[in-house]
Amino acid sequence: MAKPTIADLRQRVSGDVITRDDAGYEEARRVYNAMIDRRPSVVVRCLTASDVVATVDYARENGLDLAVRGGGHSVAGFGTIDDGVVADLSVMRAVSVDPGTRRARAEGGATWGDFNAATGEHGLATTGGIISTTGVAGLTLGGGIGYLTRGYGLSLDNLISADIVTADGRQVVASATENADLFWAIRGGGGNFGVATSLEFQLHPVDQIYGGPMFYAAKDAGAVLRFYRDFIDTAPEAFGGFPAWQIAPPLPFIPEDRQGETMLAFVACWAGPLDEGEAMLKPFHDVAEVVAEHVGPMPYPALNSAFDGLVPAGLQHYWKANFVRDLSDEVIEGYLEHGPRVPVVNSTVHTYPVNGACKRVAPDATAFAYRDANFAHVIAGMWPDPADNEANIRWVKDFYAATAPASEEGGYINFMAGDDQDRIRANYRGNYDRLVEVKRAWDPENLFHHNQNIKP
Ligand SMILES: Cc1cc2nc3c(=O)[nH]c(=O)nc-3n(C[C@H](O)[C@H](O)[C@H](O)COP(=O)(O)OP(=O)(O)OC[C@H]3O[C@@H](n4cnc5c(N)ncnc54)[C@H](O)[C@@H]3O)c2cc1C
């Protein structure tokens, strides 16, 4: 059979088919991480699941590499590829909500901003990321860590079903009752098993939350980190939040003479009864002097988008990550040595709590294996000027080297750069062999390989 041409592809899809000769190519080939400079042969702006099928067929039948793009936030730049085909779902962003069953369905290119705007209208939410521009699909298929993780589990723990376009171009449903092996694998296995054109989630009553950022002087960081370690061990599960090394940005609530100072921030989210919020945060005021804060009641979607301005598209990104079982004094020592050296205002280090509901799921119930960790640690280097690449990458690597020996071998795949593929087996622990089996069943030729790849 003749291989499909670009003209054939254009016939089959309703969205734009953008080749190197087309206007808009330069913009279409780029992703969020400006360090990624790749030139696909074609970017297909899919509008429907049928467009996705046509794009997958075109790549497979021509023997071309395929990249799948949802929100485009992959630090490794998996949403674009040299010479191959990009299935770009970034305009497939519809979200529908059924408040009766407390369920929402998001298309494969929706962002958490899209999702939370739709569910927030009904006073509902599910676990998502902390930045509103991150894609729902990419984040969920790899795990999904955010403010609500302790109360409601990972994003993938709230996934009820997904519509998947498979490597051989079929459209199937993955759920507990249909293609259960595929459903198991996509909950943690990332984009390895197919393209999710829509994802259905369980929602929870989360309307106004009490929270926001608090800033402490760097000299108090040790006391705050040790307090956080103990507090979060037994805190009510409606409490989410994380410490962050952060250069104080020029925001009105931070005294002008403290802006630009490197501090330890704590970002809190109390999703329990609003009138208990102030008391919940009191110990964070008692542990050390709070230099500046912007804490109070706010709609959950407002907290989800509060820090978008610090991480606009077009920065350079290099990240490293670990799971941490105990935030031991040894790990904290590493934080205290390298945290104050955070080079620019965009860069940060977050230590998310993943205890609570997340830990009650068995490690082999989904592909996401690190259910016994208490923290997910990410050193997120983000800076504007490529001239500073070396200094910033060095900071990330030094911080990582200092904290890795007392951390778990594996890290969260969604927080990793492209040079961590040798850690993939460690990230999946005892689930890795089963993931390989499911990969062999659903993608034996490894069409979906431009990701944190599980090789068949
Ligand atoms: C600023 C920033 C903040 C972040 N915050 C958080 C956070 O709070 N919590 C958290 O858990 N993670 C967070 N992340 C990490 C994030 O989960 C990953 O980068 C994730 O891969 C992003 O998904 P995306 O759809 O935006 O990315 P993309 O680059 O579009 O995709 C990344 C990967 O997901 C796959 N993928 C995307 N869409 C689909 C689809 N529809 N079907 C099948 N595969 C798909 C792709 O194949 C690719 O391998 C953050 C990342 C950034 C850059």
Side-chain angles (χ1 to χ4, degrees):
M1 236 171 44
K3 291 177 178 168
T5 62
I6 288 287
D8 296 331
L9 183 62
R10 286 200 163 110
Q11 283 273 315
R12 274 188 78 183
V13 303
S14 50
D16 290 338
V17 174
I18 306 164
T19 65
R20 290 177 183 164
D21 300 329
D22 292 313
Y25 175 78
E26 280 307 309
E27 188 253 321
R29 76 184 181 87
R30 293 195 186 283
V31 287
Y32 178 82
N33 179 358
M35 199 188 281
I36 308 295
D37 181 22
R38 299 188 185 130
R39 302 185 65 78
S41 62
V42 58
V43 178
V44 184
R45 289 256 162 84
C46 300
L47 299 182
T48 63
S50 305
D51 286 0
V52 175
V53 173
T55 309
V56 167
D57 286 348
Y58 175 82
R60 187 190 60 250
E61 289 168 20
N62 281 290
L64 292 168
D65 287 333
L66 175 68
V68 178
R69 187 186 305 166
H73 266 204
S74 159
V75 170
F78 290 135
T80 192
I81 192 163
D82 273 331
D83 302 324
V85 178
V86 177
D88 179 357
L89 279 72
S90 62
V91 277
M92 291 176 62
R93 291 169 66 161
V95 180
S96 59
V97 182
D98 180 347
T101 57
R102 290 188 176 160
R103 289 184 176 194
R105 185 174 279 282
E107 283 192 303
T111 63
W112 286 105
D114 301 328
F115 191 93
N116 292 332
T119 62
E121 276 185 30
H122 304 280
L124 298 169
T126 201
T127 306
I130 61 148
I131 298 291
S132 82
T133 51
T134 307
V136 170
L139 180 140
T140 300
L141 299 176
I145 295 170
Y147 295 111
L148 304 179
T149 310
R150 295 186 72 242
Y152 300 117
L154 300 166
S155 303
L156 60 77
D157 294 326
N158 293 283
L159 190 65
I160 295 169
S161 72
D163 294 337
I164 302 287
V165 172
T166 61
D168 55 5
R170 283 179 297 142
Q171 290 178 254
V172 303
V173 174
S175 72
T177 52
E178 287 181 77
N179 301 306
D181 62 334
L182 183 61
F183 188 52
W184 176 84
I186 62 168
R187 285 176 295 160
N192 270 283
F193 300 92
V195 185
T197 54
S198 104
L199 302 96
E200 185 190 11
F201 290 90
Q202 188 64 57
L203 303 174
H204 310 276
V206 179
D207 191 358
Q208 295 273 314
I209 59 90
Y210 191 96
M214 292 171 267
F215 284 81
Y216 301 92
K219 71 175 173 48
D220 293 326
V224 177
L225 286 168
R226 280 187 287 273
F227 162 73
Y228 162 68
R229 167 183 69 193
D230 300 339
F231 173 85
I232 209 70
D233 189 36
T234 56
E237 291 183 0
F239 188 92
F242 56 91
W245 280 104
Q246 184 69 55
I247 295 178
L251 293 173
F253 71 90
I254 299 178
E256 248 176 70
D257 62 333
R258 306 299 291 262
Q259 294 173 5
E261 182 179 326
T262 300
M263 298 197 194
L264 188 85
F266 186 83
V267 185
C269 175
W270 169 247
L274 262 196
D275 58 1
E276 294 175 11
E278 203 175 325
M280 281 308 302
L281 289 190
K282 184 166 182 309
F284 284 88
H285 290 90
D286 294 342
V287 66
E289 183 200 353
V290 174
V291 175
E293 66 180 326
H294 190 61
V295 166
M298 65 181 89
Y300 172 72
L303 184 61
N304 174 239
S305 53
F307 307 108
D308 291 1
L310 280 174
V311 286
L315 299 175
Q316 315 285 309
H317 288 254
Y318 182 79
W319 296 22
K320 277 187 119 43
N322 272 121
F323 287 111
V324 180
R325 201 175 309 200
D326 303 306
L327 207 50
S328 61
D329 288 344
E330 189 184 346
V331 177
I332 289 177
E333 277 314 306
Y335 281 37
L336 297 179
E337 185 184 349
H338 295 277
R341 299 182 193 161
V342 58
V344 291
V345 70
N346 317 91
S347 286
T348 187
V349 178
H350 292 174
T351 305
Y352 299 102
V354 287
N355 58 352
C358 183
K359 278 184 86 166
R360 284 196 292 277
V361 179
D364 59 356
T366 68
F368 187 96
Y370 264 97
R371 297 290 185 169
D372 57 351
N374 287 307
F375 303 95
H377 174 217
V378 59
I379 310 151
M382 307 183 267
W383 61 98
D385 188 348
D388 297 331
N389 286 7
E390 203 186 322
N392 282 276
I393 292 171
R394 174 61 39 220
W395 172 71
V396 174
K397 287 186 170 172
D398 287 349
F399 200 129
Y400 177 76
T403 50
S407 305
E408 299 297 301
E409 195 185 350
Y412 173 37
I413 56 152
N414 273 352
F415 284 160
M416 292 186 167
D419 61 359
D420 257 330
Q421 298 238 334
D422 58 346
R423 291 176 65 203
I424 290 177
R425 183 180 273 274
N427 296 348
Y428 290 112
R429 297 166 128 183
N431 289 338
Y432 187 78
D433 291 343
R434 183 172 170 198
L435 279 165
V436 173
E437 267 175 46
V438 182
K439 180 77 173 172
R440 284 181 185 150
W442 289 91
D443 184 17
E445 302 301 325
N446 206 6
L447 179 68
F448 301 113
H449 65 267
H450 195 55
N451 44 39
Q452 304 287 8
N453 194 223
I454 295 156
K455 294 187 176 48

